[in-house]
Amino acid sequence: MIGFLSRWWGGSPPAVEPASLRDAARLAQLHGASFHRGWGEGEFETMLTERNTLVHRLRQGRNVIGFAVSRMAADEAEILSIAIDTGQRGRGLSRDLLLTHLGHLAGHGIRTIFLEVEENNAPARRLYEGAGFDVIGRRERYYKQPGEEHLNALLMRRDLS
């Protein structure tokens, strides 16, 4: 898959690697372009310094084009957010990013992963279901949207062990 992507882009394959404090502004930019209420640079700086938070960036050449962030507690983790640059979507990059991130979580002793996803977000649901996540619950009116609309969230889980 990586060889195909490399030939398709005509350059080096995308790389998933640990994010650093230098990435905080770009991660905030990506998050803001992907979600109604984007996290700020300060919020990413905090997450990047917390010992129980794992943040990976997806880099194409010198450009950070995505990220995944999870918070860990004992042998469980919650995926807090995944985002891909709007111009890079639809190329399977989020799947590679997610699976690599899950592998690193497993390496930290994580056995169970949870996440919440907007019920109407079909691309994200396909991503998570394709990666082995199952719906285990629903939170009514969980996400507040512009104009006071509230959307439901699905709670999903995947066991790594």
Side-chain angles (χ1 to χ4, degrees):
M1 176 79 168
I2 295 295
F4 166 76
L5 289 174
S6 178
R7 288 188 301 278
W8 188 62
W9 267 308
S12 61
V16 177
E17 53 199 19
S20 70
L21 279 173
R22 294 185 313 258
D23 299 314
R26 177 62 177 146
L27 302 183
Q29 182 183 40
L30 288 165
H31 196 271
S34 299
F35 299 97
H36 166 64
R37 197 215 79 57
W39 298 337
E41 184 175 347
E43 290 169 286
F44 275 100
E45 288 173 347
T46 299
M47 285 186 280
L48 287 161
T49 60
E50 293 175 332
R51 292 173 41 121
N52 67 332
T53 305
L54 187 63
V55 185
H56 284 102
R57 67 182 185 186
L58 178 66
R59 185 179 48 78
Q60 175 66 49
R62 294 182 180 200
N63 300 317
V64 174
I65 59 171
F67 70 87
V69 58
S70 295
R71 183 156 292 136
M72 303 175 287
D75 65 349
E76 296 181 348
E78 179 183 7
I79 295 176
L80 302 177
S81 190
I82 293 179
I84 300 289
D85 184 276
T86 56
Q88 302 292 332
R89 293 181 186 162
R91 299 179 180 177
L93 297 172
S94 58
R95 183 178 191 285
D96 294 340
L97 172 61
L98 174 61
L99 293 177
T100 301
H101 188 71
L102 292 176
H104 283 277
L105 287 167
H108 280 84
I110 301 300
R111 298 172 57 110
T112 306
I113 311 288
F114 296 93
L115 62 86
E116 292 155 351
V117 63
E118 181 186 304
E119 186 174 45
N120 297 337
N121 187 341
R125 288 183 61 188
R126 278 191 305 275
L127 169 68
Y128 298 130
E129 289 166 359
F133 284 84
D134 295 310
V135 175
I136 60 168
R138 186 172 186 223
R139 294 192 171 143
E140 299 289 327
R141 301 173 44 85
Y142 185 74
Y143 292 110
K144 183 178 177 183
Q145 299 297 303
E148 302 301 313
E149 180 184 11
H150 288 79
L151 301 174
N152 299 330
L154 296 178
L155 179 61
M156 301 184 84
R157 172 186 172 150
R158 177 181 169 180
D159 292 327
L160 294 178
S161 56

